[in-house]
Amino acid sequence: MTGFEVRVNGRTHDDAPRPGQCLRTYLRGHGWFGVKKGCDAGDCGACTVHVDGTPVHSCLYPALRADGKQVTTVEGLATDGELHPVQEQFLAAQGFQCGFCTAGFLITAAALDDEGRADLPRALKGNLCRCTGYRAIEDAITGVKHVEEPADGEAVGRNLGAPAGPQVVTGTARYTFDVDVPGLLHIKLVRSPHAHARITGIDTAAALAVPGVRVVLTHEDAPQRLYSSAQHEIVEDDPCDTRVFDDVVRHVGQRVAAVVGETEAAAEAGARLVRVDYEVLPAVTDAHAAMRPGAPVVHDKDPVEARIARPADNVLAELHDEFGDFAAGLAEADAVYRGTFRTPRAQHAALETHGALAWFDAETGRLTVRTSTQTPFLTRRSLCALFDLPESDLRVVAGRVGGGFGGKQEMLVEDVVVLAALRLREPVKLELTRSEQFSGSTTRHPFTVEVEVGAKADGTLTALRVHVVSDTGAYGNHGPGVLFHSCGESIAAYRCPNKRTDAYAVYTHNVPSGAYRGYGLGQVIFAVESALDELAHRLGIDPLLLRERSAVRDGDPLTTASGAEEDLLIGSYGLDQCLDVVRAARAEPVGPVPGGWLVGDGAALSMIATAPPRGHFGEARLRLLADGTFELSVGTAEFGNGSTTVHRQLAASALGVATSRVSIRQSDTDLVRHDTGAFGSTGVVIAGTAVLRAAEAMVGALLGAAAERSGVDVSRCALVGRGVDCGGRVVPFSELAAGEPLTTTGHCDGTPRSVAFNVHWFRLAVDPGTGEVRVLRSVHAADAGQVLNPMQCRGQVEGGVAQGFGAAVAEHVDTGADGAVTTAAFRQYHVPTFADVPRTEVHFADVTDPLGPLGAKSMSESPFNPVAPAYANALRAATGVRFTDLPLTRDRVWLGLSRD
Amino acid sequence: MDLNTVVEVRDPRVPGPWLPGDAWLAGGTQLFSEPQPLVRRLVDLTRFGWPPVTLGGDLELAATCTIAELSRFGRDSGLPVAELVEQCCRAFLASFKVWNTATVGGNLCNALPAGPMISLTAALDGVCLLRTGGGERRVPVVDFVRGAGESVLTDGELLRSITIPEAALHRRSAFRQVSLHAHGRSGALLIGTADTGFALTITAATPRPVRLDFPTAPTAAELRSAILGTVTDWYDDIHGLPAWRRHMVLRLAEEIREELA
């Protein structure tokens, strides 16, 4: 190939692409990192660019065809330093959360004609966003503005824009892979084709003979040490059942070897040539079957050492508790409902796949791991334990993270890059493909939940029992935590004197389950909320009334079948206000409904602890810089949750300064001593408290320093914007910065904990002839305590509702008889699109929590939890049919109605 | 995605043998969407520079005609089937961006049950012109697709064009599509056409297109009985349960019959 030339954003590149190269990697290879890989298969739109003005998915576009053409990426949308109108609009509406999909939306929106703009559901069907639920994107494209510029010191409670907004909309925000590391080597993984097998031999000769292949790493190179990919503050919360590479494989898709090559192509070619001999072993892929006597044992390990409850029975963890006397309670009931509910495996579908880079600092010899993680500090701890490294020799950083949803509270790639880097002493990268995300990372735990509930005629509950089986898959990461949490707030949300729980997390030879938004609660809440709704129908009372009578009230103790959790309390109570919102909404007129369609409405509630149990630590550090501005360092990660914005608001408000005077560094183990990380909805409640404490300490330090400098008594000193007023003379912060360095630190240990409430309500119309369901109205009431940034908190709720809606109506990771994932692409696994997600009216209760920072509560996972049961309850009201298995796709709804 | 095993993009106008590992490249939207570890050479059909659409009585669509070009042609054509053409373009799971590169021929050659260009050209009596080094043959679209992902193309044979007879362009048509999701992949896609007779083309719900021809408009019972007598295999994948697809086909077929009556 000669004479190739392409103009990209006005710059010429004349090196020819490889024959099979797509335009996406050509552009990224030339530093146009705004072009993202979401799926690499043409389904998600994150890589959209213009070729001669025409929008195309660059992952599908043969790079050679760009010869002689003009390509515009997101970096080229702005002209002469002026943002394109759609960039301005996405900033003004904050039409993004993690921002990984944003470049694709911007480039697509910039190419829409009037017809496209008039039909956004169709025009945007080729762009997926997992975070926002699309309302914010619609507002951006239609020119609605939300972002405010609050006055100095008055940022709390206002719609401050995300600090990274300008970078996100210009494609200059740096995500995990958006760095140019010279000499970077590439890793590709060899994965198991068997559900259960012992590796009897690995022949790497052919792979090593591929030009450019540097090394092949197998179980013989991996540490013997067992660990869990799950990242928790308390390591013992998870079993240690995993090796970097094991000599036994336990699910189709398990990694077997890593091939390191000078190019991805060489690594891929090598990976195809690694010959693995397997002794195939019997496998079990059904959780109930796995518990039966004689079932193949997934982990033949010592129960104490491995922290597995009953390895021989494939029971990873179990719970058998009773509070009161369940049988007696049931005998007292006027009506009893018993039902079994099933929720499927689901994928997080964060648009940025898992991946990490590792390199050695040339001068210090220190290893840096840059990774797409929610937990930089815990990951460093895990890596150091695994490879016997002192923590001082390892730095873990996260760039901007392209979505998490719990999936990145795992160590799924970092161990491999460190193994390879330590071996080769060269920089390495491992970036999973979308297909590997599905078949080789983690999923939401599939649950089977049997509920038995009894009540008196007036709706007072007398007995509540759940029998829970969760399929943790081949490894137990998060298995115990998800199981225990699933039976926590779901049960504690109701006043009932007699409660019983029997729960099992079960090993199978399936793809591992892991942490997923809601952390088990959503699965059991689906069952409990459906059962209570059904019970109300049987008693002939209003389901909402039954909840009002039986849900916990302010001042009540919170009891599960295990009794009370010691540091969990109703710090503030907004459930009554949330239920009132629903009551008001459903009293309003229904509006037009197509002829022959059935209409019904239903609600569900959920409660969630505002932080994980038994310790979650946040740390923040604030430093006064020479120019009189402040640098805030936080340990926790930003993956679109917006906590960074709130941190800036909290710090600026406490210091009484403009938000622009607080810069933020984050997600880097060099910044603070320790931080548990961004999971369990802790970004505001825990990290935010740490920030607030650091800022409050800084206020004291500033006043003290100013008093000393001015000789005025501290009682006569006060903060005034850019300095301290000392009895009439203002000492600027920059002057204070010239003295002793001013640095303060804030900590939060995450206890005691409060609870937040969410109530969702749908009104649906159902076509019994086709199974089609239309959402006539969707209302969500949230008790988030004091809302520190309404725009962002609304976005969190909408995003959670959208993900819950996906779980309700669309999403299921399917597996074959051997456990292999059969839905390993977005064209099979349907993530809700713009057209699917209904617009939801979001209401906040007026509540102040004494435990959270400035009265705030958590609001990240929780909006997800009540959505699916509210949908099923509305469907029940419309059709009379109780649907027990998710998701409720049209075909299943039709089948359910035609069977009835 | 990158196809890293590809070592060459070949110009098919230059004579040469078809080798193992050769693959025809049209728009590339399918080829580049999945790993193709066996492909070593891409043989680039677009180098032929075929005119995308030729209307001279009959309508000839080059295999390399993009969906965007077809859509534009349909909109500007003023033909009675123009609306049907646009409906079928819109039945793609892929968005308008993919239309800019995906081709009519590529959709046929993928031979997926939900391929809307298969639906369109089968319903309009389309005939495929296939070419090998040795010669040409013509195969009706309904016979071109043999099963899910399977066509009659032999190794090295290419799809040159699809010809739609002039009469078909002037028929009345009725279109019905259903998916599990709004603007989603088709679970069933039916097209009825009518002049003096009536024809129903069933796609997406069946592994391959099913065409039912009636000399005169059928009654509801006749149509139902013809469908159930012909279709024995309702397609089963994640885009719809077979029982639902069967039900939807019967329901939509009757809607089409009534619309065209």
Side-chain angles (χ1 to χ4, degrees):
Chain A
M1 190 72 203
T2 53
F4 179 90
E5 186 176 293
V6 60
R7 298 270 296 170
V8 183
N9 304 328
R11 218 177 292 167
T12 300
H13 301 296
D14 59 6
D15 55 315
R18 287 172 279 120
Q21 189 169 20
C22 67
L23 184 58
R24 179 186 72 74
T25 64
Y26 183 86
L27 293 169
R28 285 186 59 85
H30 288 79
W32 302 110
F33 290 129
V35 182
K36 294 290 186 278
K37 180 203 80 177
C39 67
D40 220 12
D43 299 323
C44 80
C47 68
T48 306
V49 300
H50 297 165
V51 176
D52 282 350
T54 301
V56 299
H57 290 187
S58 63
C59 68
L60 298 179
Y61 195 90
L64 281 168
R65 289 200 178 152
D67 185 20
K69 298 203 161 84
Q70 307 265 355
V71 174
T72 306
T73 73
V74 67
E75 290 99 330
L77 266 188
T79 45
D80 304 327
E82 289 284 306
L83 291 183
H84 186 284
V86 298
Q87 291 174 309
E88 295 279 13
Q89 289 164 228
F90 269 73
L91 266 183
Q94 192 143 309
F96 59 87
Q97 283 178 27
C98 84
F100 199 80
C101 68
T102 307
F105 272 98
L106 288 166
I107 284 278
T108 304
L112 291 182
D113 57 13
D114 289 344
E115 190 188 333
R117 273 188 294 273
D119 189 2
L120 291 178
R122 179 181 299 283
L124 297 178
K125 71 190 243 183
N127 289 79
L128 297 178
C129 170
R130 188 56 153 173
C131 297
T132 63
Y134 301 99
R135 189 276 311 158
I137 290 171
E138 180 173 29
D139 281 356
I141 295 175
T142 56
V144 179
K145 295 183 171 70
H146 296 291
V147 169
E148 301 174 316
E149 285 183 18
D152 293 5
E154 292 175 13
V156 164
R158 307 295 298 275
N159 293 338
L160 183 71
Q167 288 79 46
V168 167
V169 302
T170 52
T172 53
R174 288 293 171 247
Y175 294 80
T176 310
F177 312 113
D178 300 341
V179 286
D180 184 18
V181 179
L184 191 64
L185 302 175
H186 300 266
I187 301 175
K188 286 286 169 185
L189 297 171
V190 178
R191 293 181 178 276
S192 168
H194 302 295
H196 191 198
R198 182 177 308 284
I199 294 171
T200 55
I202 302 186
D203 183 351
T204 61
L208 288 167
V210 173
V213 168
R214 298 290 293 278
V215 71
V216 179
L217 301 165
T218 72
H219 65 86
E220 291 175 358
D221 306 285
Q224 287 291 336
R225 194 163 283 154
L226 293 166
Y227 63 95
S228 176
S229 63
Q231 301 300 305
H232 276 123
E233 181 61 37
I234 299 171
V235 173
E236 291 73 25
D237 280 356
D238 298 280
C240 52
D241 58 6
T242 305
R243 275 184 72 192
V244 178
F245 297 113
D246 207 332
D247 56 357
V248 174
V249 289
R250 297 181 177 84
H251 69 94
V252 174
Q254 179 172 331
R255 55 201 204 187
V256 169
V259 179
V260 188
E262 286 162 11
T263 60
E264 280 197 26
E268 266 179 34
R272 280 193 296 273
L273 293 171
V274 173
R275 215 188 78 198
V276 186
D277 293 324
Y278 296 98
E279 175 198 345
V280 176
L281 301 170
V284 59
T285 54
D286 175 84
H288 291 86
M291 283 195 285
R292 289 188 200 120
V297 174
V298 181
H299 287 279
D300 185 11
K301 292 182 166 69
D302 178 81
V304 176
E305 264 179 41
R307 299 189 289 271
I308 298 170
R310 288 188 281 132
D313 301 323
N314 290 320
V315 174
L316 163 64
E318 60 191 321
L319 192 63
H320 304 281
D321 279 317
E322 188 159 327
F323 179 78
D325 183 338
F326 174 76
L330 206 61
E332 277 175 47
D334 292 321
V336 171
Y337 172 77
R338 182 194 289 176
T340 301
F341 297 83
R342 293 174 194 85
T343 57
R345 218 168 249 109
Q347 236 295 324
H348 309 82
L351 264 277
E352 182 187 54
T353 61
H354 291 280
L357 300 88
W359 66 83
F360 288 93
D361 186 284
E363 283 166 26
T364 62
R366 190 158 166 252
L367 184 61
T368 297
V369 175
R370 178 183 172 90
T371 175
S372 187
T373 186
Q374 297 173 222
T375 60
F377 291 82
L378 300 186
T379 302
R380 177 179 63 170
R381 190 180 67 186
S382 296
L383 289 169
C384 289
L386 183 55
F387 294 103
D388 288 320
L389 298 170
E391 290 203 342
S392 56
D393 283 4
L394 181 64
R395 176 184 178 202
V396 176
V397 298
R400 192 169 173 84
V401 175
F405 314 109
K408 292 169 181 173
Q409 192 194 342
E410 303 284 348
M411 183 171 74
L412 297 173
V413 287
E414 297 90 340
D415 49 347
V416 177
V417 296
V418 168
L419 180 68
L422 290 174
R423 168 66 71 91
L424 293 167
R425 309 296 298 181
E426 287 183 77
V428 293
K429 173 181 137 180
L430 171 58
E431 178 178 352
L432 296 194
T433 64
R434 181 54 58 185
S435 161
E436 286 179 297
Q437 281 306 105
F438 280 102
S439 54
S441 68
T442 64
T443 68
R444 187 183 190 210
H445 284 75
F447 269 56
T448 305
V449 183
E450 187 192 307
V451 191
E452 195 169 18
V453 56
K456 304 294 274 183
D458 67 352
T460 309
L461 297 185
T462 60
L464 174 59
R465 179 180 73 82
V466 290
H467 180 280
V468 175
V469 175
S470 86
D471 180 352
T472 199
Y475 293 91
N477 45 305
H478 295 287
V482 165
L483 187 78
F484 300 149
H485 191 220
S486 79
C487 301
E489 295 96 298
S490 56
I491 306 298
Y494 287 96
R495 323 162 81 201
C496 175
N498 307 297
K499 295 175 175 176
R500 174 151 190 100
T501 300
D502 292 282
Y504 307 82
V506 183
Y507 280 120
T508 60
H509 292 105
N510 287 314
V511 60
S513 304
Y516 190 103
R517 194 175 205 158
Y519 212 64
L521 275 185
Q523 292 94 322
V524 174
I525 285 172
F526 172 63
V528 169
E529 290 298 308
S530 295
L532 290 175
D533 193 78
E534 198 57 39
L535 188 64
H537 283 289
R538 291 189 180 189
L539 286 165
I541 64 173
D542 174 6
L544 210 55
L545 190 66
L546 181 137
R547 289 193 176 76
E548 280 169 346
R549 292 215 172 122
S550 53
V552 285
R553 294 176 198 161
D554 202 3
D556 280 351
L558 293 171
T559 36
T560 65
S562 322
E565 272 196 75
E566 57 184 36
D567 76 331
L568 188 65
L569 56 119
I570 301 178
S572 58
Y573 186 80
L575 177 61
D576 49 347
Q577 293 180 47
C578 293
L579 290 169
D580 285 346
V581 166
V582 166
R583 195 171 280 290
R586 70 176 190 170
E588 287 164 24
V590 173
V593 176
W597 290 50
L598 309 167
V599 177
D601 68 86
L605 69 81
S606 66
M607 180 176 83
I608 195 167
T610 56
R614 297 182 299 128
H616 190 115
F617 300 94
E619 184 168 315
R621 188 170 296 178
L622 201 55
R623 191 158 71 98
L624 176 61
L625 303 180
D627 63 358
T629 66
F630 298 88
E631 180 188 81
L632 175 64
S633 296
V634 292
T636 195
E638 171 68 47
F639 51 96
N641 39 358
S643 50
T644 312
T645 320
V646 171
H647 296 162
R648 185 184 239 186
Q649 288 175 278
L650 287 168
S653 290
L655 295 166
V657 301
T659 52
S660 61
R661 300 185 72 77
V662 179
S663 57
I664 296 179
R665 300 175 66 194
Q666 63 199 156
S667 325
D668 180 342
T669 55
D670 275 1
L671 293 178
V672 298
R673 202 168 32 92
H674 178 71
D675 191 290
T676 305
F679 62 89
S681 310
T682 52
V684 167
V685 170
I686 289 176
T689 298
V691 167
L692 191 59
R693 287 176 182 164
E696 285 164 355
M698 178 57 80
V699 171
L702 291 167
L703 294 178
E708 195 175 312
R709 199 165 188 84
S710 62
V712 175
D713 189 80
V714 73
S715 63
R716 293 177 55 226
C717 297
L719 295 178
V720 283
R722 296 193 177 190
V724 183
D725 183 328
C726 304
R729 180 177 94 80
V730 174
V731 181
F733 291 145
S734 53
E735 195 181 317
L736 294 176
E740 284 289 296
L742 284 184
T743 303
T744 56
T745 304
H747 294 278
C748 178
D749 62 5
T751 188
R753 302 173 297 142
S754 185
V755 288
F757 294 94
N758 294 74
V759 180
H760 199 94
W761 174 81
F762 282 113
R763 177 173 281 138
L764 304 177
V766 185
D767 180 354
T770 66
E772 184 178 346
V773 179
R774 282 187 203 159
V775 176
L776 299 178
R777 213 168 154 199
S778 171
V779 174
H780 191 100
D783 167 20
Q786 279 298 302
V787 177
L788 303 182
N789 186 321
M791 169 182 72
Q792 256 189 199
C793 199
R794 178 185 175 194
Q796 281 293 311
V797 171
E798 289 167 332
V801 169
Q803 201 165 6
F805 192 73
V809 308
E811 298 179 39
H812 50 116
V813 172
D814 288 357
T815 53
D818 61 354
V821 172
T822 56
T823 51
F826 284 144
R827 62 190 63 174
Q828 274 108 33
Y829 184 87
H830 186 83
V831 169
T833 68
F834 189 101
D836 293 312
V837 181
R839 297 298 170 259
T840 292
E841 302 154 39
V842 178
H843 302 260
F844 292 113
D846 182 10
V847 168
T848 295
D849 195 84
L851 302 175
L854 305 183
K857 297 204 258 192
S858 59
M859 197 48 55
S860 291
E861 299 182 83
S862 59
F864 173 90
N865 290 330
V867 176
Y871 191 89
N873 291 344
L875 204 53
R876 162 68 170 86
T879 65
V881 177
R882 170 60 56 191
F883 288 87
T884 56
D885 293 12
L886 294 178
L888 300 168
T889 49
R890 286 178 189 171
D891 50 351
R892 296 181 189 191
V893 169
W894 171 79
L895 198 63
L897 299 184
S898 45
R899 270 189 193 145
D900 200 56
Chain B
M1 63 185 67
D2 285 351
L3 306 179
N4 286 319
T5 50
V6 172
V7 294
E8 185 187 347
V9 177
R10 214 176 84 70
D11 186 336
R13 294 167 302 178
V14 179
W18 181 263
L19 300 175
D22 282 358
W24 296 114
L25 170 66
T29 52
Q30 198 283 323
L31 212 49
F32 279 77
S33 76
E34 288 176 359
Q36 313 284 349
L38 302 177
V39 173
R40 296 191 43 86
R41 298 198 304 178
L42 299 174
V43 188
D44 187 357
L45 290 172
T46 64
R47 306 280 175 93
F48 283 118
W50 297 325
V53 184
T54 312
L55 183 61
D58 294 349
L59 173 67
E60 186 188 295
L61 301 173
T64 49
C65 173
T66 65
I67 309 310
E69 286 166 337
L70 176 66
S71 168
R72 272 196 296 275
F73 161 78
R75 286 169 181 227
D76 299 342
S77 71
L79 286 167
V81 292
E83 189 185 355
L84 179 66
V85 169
E86 185 64 16
Q87 285 165 329
C88 288
C89 291
R90 290 181 171 212
F92 270 97
L93 172 65
S95 76
F96 78 101
K97 293 180 284 180
V98 176
W99 293 14
N100 290 322
T101 46
T103 63
V104 175
N107 190 244
L108 264 71
C109 294
N110 286 334
L112 295 176
M117 294 298 104
I118 299 170
S119 320
L120 174 70
T121 53
L124 296 180
D125 303 343
V127 176
C128 299
L129 173 61
L130 311 184
R131 237 179 225 171
T132 53
E136 292 185 346
R137 60 174 174 144
R138 287 180 187 274
V139 179
V141 174
V142 281
D143 299 324
F144 176 80
V145 177
R146 293 167 55 94
E150 193 191 344
S151 75
V152 300
L153 284 172
T154 58
D155 203 26
E157 192 172 33
L158 71 82
L159 172 62
R160 165 64 185 86
S161 62
I162 303 99
T163 300
I164 294 167
E166 183 174 9
L169 302 174
H170 295 276
R171 288 187 193 132
R172 290 187 300 130
S173 66
F175 171 96
R176 292 289 186 283
Q177 182 212 14
V178 68
S179 166
L180 295 183
H181 308 289
H183 305 304
R185 184 187 289 232
S186 304
L189 195 165
L190 286 78
I191 298 170
T193 55
D195 42 25
T196 55
F198 174 91
L200 180 71
T201 304
I202 301 168
T203 54
T206 52
R208 54 178 292 191
V210 171
R211 170 73 182 244
L212 300 170
D213 283 276
F214 300 84
T216 56
T219 64
E222 284 166 353
L223 183 60
R224 182 182 168 88
S225 142
I227 292 168
L228 293 178
T230 309
V231 181
T232 50
D233 187 8
W234 298 100
Y235 195 54
D236 185 7
D237 73 356
I238 197 162
H239 305 292
L241 294 169
W244 175 74
R245 286 175 143 142
R246 175 183 180 275
H247 166 77
M248 289 310 304
V249 164
L250 293 172
R251 179 186 170 101
L252 299 176
E254 178 54 20
E255 286 181 17
I256 286 174
R257 192 192 68 86
E258 285 174 8
E259 183 179 327
L260 292 177

